[in-house]
Amino acid sequence: MHEASIRRHAAVERVRECLRELHGVDPTPLGRRALAAYHHRFRIKSGWRLPVDFGEPHPRHIDVLIPEGFPLVRPQFGLLERPPFLTWPHVERDGSLCLLANMSEFDPDDPAGVVVRLLGKSCTLVRDLLEGGMVERDFLDEFLTYWRYDRNASDGRLTSILRLERPSREIAVWQTTGIRLLGDTEEQVTGWLRNRYGDKVLRPSRLQKGLLVWLDRPMLPSEYPRTARDVQVLVERCGGEAPRLLSDLVSARQDSIVTVIAAEGRFGPGIVTASIAPPRGARSCGGSTAPLYDGFRPSRLPSGLLVRRYLGSDPVVRDEPARADAPWIHGRGHDLRTERLTGATVTVLGCGSVGAPVAVALAQAGVGHLNLIDHDALDWANVGRHPLGAACVRGNKAEGLAAKLRIDYPHGKFDAFPVVAQAMLAVDEGTLRGSHLIVSAMGDWRAESQLNDWQCRLGRPMPVVYGWTEAHAVAGHAVAITPGGGCLRCGLDRTGVPHFRVVAWPDERAVAFEEPACGAHYQPYGPVELGFVTSLVAQLALDCLLGKVTRPCHRIHAARRASLTEAGGRWSDRWIDQYPTMTEGGVQVEREWLSGTCAACSASKIA
């Protein structure tokens, strides 16, 4: 016998013996038909039926279900005597009991104990359901779960970028073969589609109108709309402008009317849809008058009668859209930073191996608008530590990165400027001035000194974060120059060399390798080492956007000492002097950035 089968057989016997001790008799084994009644993801191999006294005239029976893979898979439990489906929460269609997972209830070395604990939890659940107090509360708190159980469609194309907030209102609906998109306005919908799929998807237009209905509380299963008339009743219950908007949509005689039903649950808002199609046989294939227009020409049918006939007994399509709105993508609707970040504009100067990952991280964090500036093309040698891959080789880095981000985060705005930073300062200064934050990852002292002088000259209207690596990415730096004062030059010498460096290189030949070409230097580090540095820069950028950084600061990442030694370096004297307890590395530190100590700061004060 296979080892897993032996283990499973022994575990089942231990459970059976434990149940016999609890009840005083051998538990009744479940036959093949009883086992087949349960439709579990894990195939049920065996089980027992136990009578349980809940203080009623007759006992109810709970089935203990042993799945294939036990004891490495949790046992399941089912209730035999139960009301119709969706009368009770936490009881699935086949009678399975939905028990919240708890790590203490999974122990492969104590299968009998697991069964006993979960059996007790099952009995408690049934007892609570019989008492009735939890029934309506749990249906309302977890209304999306029970709607999913009862929906009659599951269209993977249905996607929502709606703002989930009051009031009830008219919405925009885009319906094509590839996607059905729900948005607040035509502009929002077409912008999202253009980012995600390009302009071709917008031709020809498939835009229609729909209705968002905001309820004061979620629906109970008994209130789920099954017919067009049920939707009308729900809309009238909502009140306000909703009934009139629904009537207007009926009068427009669209292919369908998508009604989005929204309500606040225990952990936030949720949405479902009920789509109404024109009544069956609204027009016959021969063009004769159908019941919808019975007694009238289509153009002469009174609006009130049209609404009554349209919103009749025909069934609706109940579904749930996938949420793709920014608050959901960036924090499941519970990240308080999202609104502030979504409204922020960040300009990233330099879209190389530091700037590009930082830009991606900011987009993932929810920054709504990124200006990406880089004049350079992606080369094959860049691909190994750059977010862009082979498909973008020989293309401009800024343009390729913007195109990628538009596809990945179509709710955002990503603009590319394939120029050098100095050109932005000379001919498009407004883009920089309109930013809430500038991130410089150019690695070019001439360009960064001009940016620094520009920021000082304007009185530091927004923070600027500078990021760079030391050789082999064994150390990385992120410096924030804030409106409070100071500048980049305060911590660098006249040639752009930082006063504070983490690593010293006894052999300068270890600092860079050289291709068999004049001036073609490189360092063979990869994206893993670089990831610590780009995360450092991105975190400082977010802290600046969120108002957490008000004075110039300097954050440093120092790699593990083993990485440093392998690359041929050692800790600098200044690092050892200031951080004597951190010589094992693998740390991040924050230190003060000198302020007002250079000529640039003095000149800005005079100006």
Side-chain angles (χ1 to χ4, degrees):
M1 186 181 294
H2 193 273
E3 182 178 347
S5 298
I6 295 174
R7 182 177 186 179
R8 178 183 174 280
H9 179 74
V12 169
E13 284 302 307
R14 287 161 63 184
V15 172
R16 187 189 64 79
E17 180 64 24
C18 182
L19 294 177
R20 188 189 68 79
E21 292 176 1
L22 284 175
H23 289 268
V25 296
D26 282 330
T28 302
L30 293 173
R32 183 173 299 177
R33 177 178 293 183
L35 293 173
Y38 292 98
H39 309 289
H40 278 282
R41 181 164 54 93
F42 300 107
R43 190 166 52 154
I44 303 300
K45 299 291 289 184
S46 60
W48 303 272
R49 180 159 292 165
L50 306 175
V52 181
D53 183 4
F54 290 101
E56 300 174 293
H58 303 286
R60 295 180 185 252
H61 293 81
I62 290 181
D63 290 344
V64 180
L65 307 171
I66 304 300
E68 188 173 33
F70 185 78
L72 299 178
V73 177
R74 275 179 38 145
Q76 306 293 324
F77 297 83
L79 179 64
L80 188 62
E81 296 88 1
R82 60 188 185 274
F85 181 52
L86 292 182
T87 302
W88 281 351
H90 312 299
V91 181
E92 298 184 14
R93 192 182 299 273
D94 61 0
S96 299
L97 299 178
C98 182
L99 306 176
L100 293 177
N102 187 304
M103 288 305 296
S104 66
E105 293 158 358
F106 179 76
D107 185 354
D109 296 324
D110 183 21
V114 169
V115 169
V116 169
R117 287 192 293 273
L118 289 178
L119 178 59
K121 198 169 185 177
S122 299
C123 293
T124 299
L125 172 61
V126 175
R127 189 172 293 109
D128 290 342
L129 291 170
L130 287 168
E131 292 174 357
M134 67 180 295
V135 173
E136 181 172 308
R137 182 198 67 212
D138 284 17
F139 272 138
L140 297 180
D141 284 348
E142 303 172 20
F143 72 98
L144 287 182
T145 297
Y146 299 103
W147 177 272
R148 290 166 191 158
Y149 286 156
D150 198 48
R151 64 185 178 183
N152 56 11
S154 182
D155 187 346
R157 301 173 302 159
L158 188 60
T159 306
S160 168
I161 54 174
L162 290 163
R163 290 178 292 107
L164 292 197
E165 59 188 30
R166 297 175 186 273
S168 300
R169 59 191 183 272
E170 186 178 88
I171 62 173
V173 181
W174 184 279
Q175 304 197 68
T176 59
T177 303
I179 188 169
R180 300 174 63 211
L181 185 64
L182 313 174
D184 288 292
T185 64
E186 176 180 355
E187 181 182 19
Q188 180 200 29
V189 166
T190 55
W192 192 98
L193 289 168
R194 183 178 291 109
N195 281 349
R196 183 70 181 85
Y197 300 107
D199 287 330
K200 289 184 178 179
V201 74
L202 301 178
R203 301 190 297 267
S205 176
R206 293 290 187 270
L207 194 69
Q208 295 184 335
K209 295 179 180 179
L211 177 62
L212 172 67
V213 180
W214 198 281
L215 303 180
D216 289 333
R217 64 162 178 80
M219 297 173 290
L220 294 169
S222 60
E223 298 170 317
Y224 295 166
R226 284 163 171 74
T227 67
R229 173 59 183 158
D230 293 340
V231 173
Q232 185 182 26
V233 170
L234 199 67
V235 170
E236 289 173 347
R237 165 187 150 192
C238 177
E241 287 290 296
R244 180 190 63 78
L245 293 172
L246 179 60
S247 178
D248 291 347
L249 290 175
V250 171
S251 299
R253 307 185 196 188
Q254 299 181 154
D255 295 339
S256 67
I257 299 174
V258 178
T259 306
V260 179
I261 305 166
E264 194 80 25
R266 178 170 55 182
F267 299 116
I271 53 173
V272 298
T273 59
S275 299
I276 306 169
R280 287 171 291 189
R283 297 287 290 178
S284 69
C285 59
S288 60
T289 303
L292 179 63
Y293 307 109
D294 203 6
F296 298 88
R297 292 181 180 180
S299 61
R300 297 296 182 88
L301 183 64
S303 60
L305 183 57
L306 171 65
V307 171
R308 288 196 298 274
R309 289 182 175 181
Y310 200 105
L311 302 177
S313 59
D314 282 356
V316 296
V317 177
R318 298 186 303 280
D319 203 352
E320 179 188 353
R323 286 185 59 181
D325 52 289
W328 186 253
I329 287 176
H330 304 293
R332 300 290 183 97
H334 288 279
D335 192 334
L336 299 178
R337 303 172 299 174
T338 300
E339 183 175 357
R340 188 165 181 176
L341 293 176
T342 301
T345 297
V346 175
T347 295
V348 179
L349 298 169
C351 298
S353 59
V354 173
V358 169
V360 171
L362 295 178
Q364 289 176 318
V367 173
H369 183 191
L370 289 177
N371 296 314
L372 305 171
I373 300 170
D374 199 307
H375 71 286
D376 202 6
L378 188 74
D379 195 1
W380 282 107
N382 306 138
V383 170
R385 56 192 187 199
H386 198 282
L388 299 178
C392 295
V393 167
R394 299 188 184 91
N396 176 263
K397 292 177 182 178
E399 292 177 331
L401 187 58
K404 170 185 168 58
L405 293 176
R406 291 187 199 110
I407 293 172
D408 291 345
Y409 310 97
H411 55 278
K413 183 179 180 182
F414 306 99
D415 293 323
F417 299 84
V419 298
V420 295
Q422 293 94 322
M424 294 295 294
L425 290 169
V427 301
D428 197 358
E429 184 181 346
T431 295
L432 299 179
R433 285 196 181 216
S435 303
H436 297 94
L437 171 73
I438 297 172
V439 176
S440 177
M442 294 181 286
D444 183 332
W445 168 236
R446 290 174 299 177
E448 290 188 326
S449 64
Q450 289 184 36
L451 173 65
N452 178 73
D453 293 346
W454 172 84
Q455 185 199 20
C456 291
R457 187 173 66 253
L458 294 182
R460 302 171 185 82
M462 79 290 289
V464 177
V465 171
Y466 297 88
W468 68 89
T469 66
E470 296 191 25
H472 298 278
V474 292
H477 301 259
V479 172
I481 304 302
T482 65
C487 79
L488 180 66
R489 289 177 181 266
C490 292
L492 279 64
D493 69 17
R494 297 178 63 183
T495 62
V497 177
H499 296 314
F500 187 95
R501 284 181 283 182
V502 176
V503 181
W505 301 94
D507 185 354
E508 288 298 326
R509 291 175 298 179
V511 173
F513 293 82
E514 189 172 344
E515 297 178 16
C518 181
H521 299 285
Y522 67 94
Q523 294 167 3
Y525 58 84
V528 176
E529 303 94 306
L530 194 60
F532 292 101
V533 182
T534 57
S535 294
L536 182 82
V537 178
Q539 182 63 67
L540 183 55
L542 286 181
D543 286 347
C544 288
L545 285 173
L546 296 171
K548 298 179 181 180
V549 176
T550 57
R551 295 179 57 81
C553 73
H554 180 196
R555 294 181 184 175
I556 302 171
H557 163 73
R560 295 179 302 109
R561 184 170 64 176
S563 300
L564 179 73
T565 303
E566 184 178 347
R570 61 170 179 81
W571 301 123
S572 69
D573 292 340
R574 293 198 65 178
W575 175 264
I576 294 173
D577 179 58
Q578 291 195 22
Y579 304 103
T581 63
M582 297 184 182
T583 55
E584 288 301 313
V587 296
Q588 289 186 1
V589 298
E590 180 170 332
R591 62 193 296 271
E592 183 181 358
W593 185 258
L594 294 177
S595 300
T597 60
C598 71
C601 287
S602 300
S604 65
K605 291 177 182 177
I606 296 172

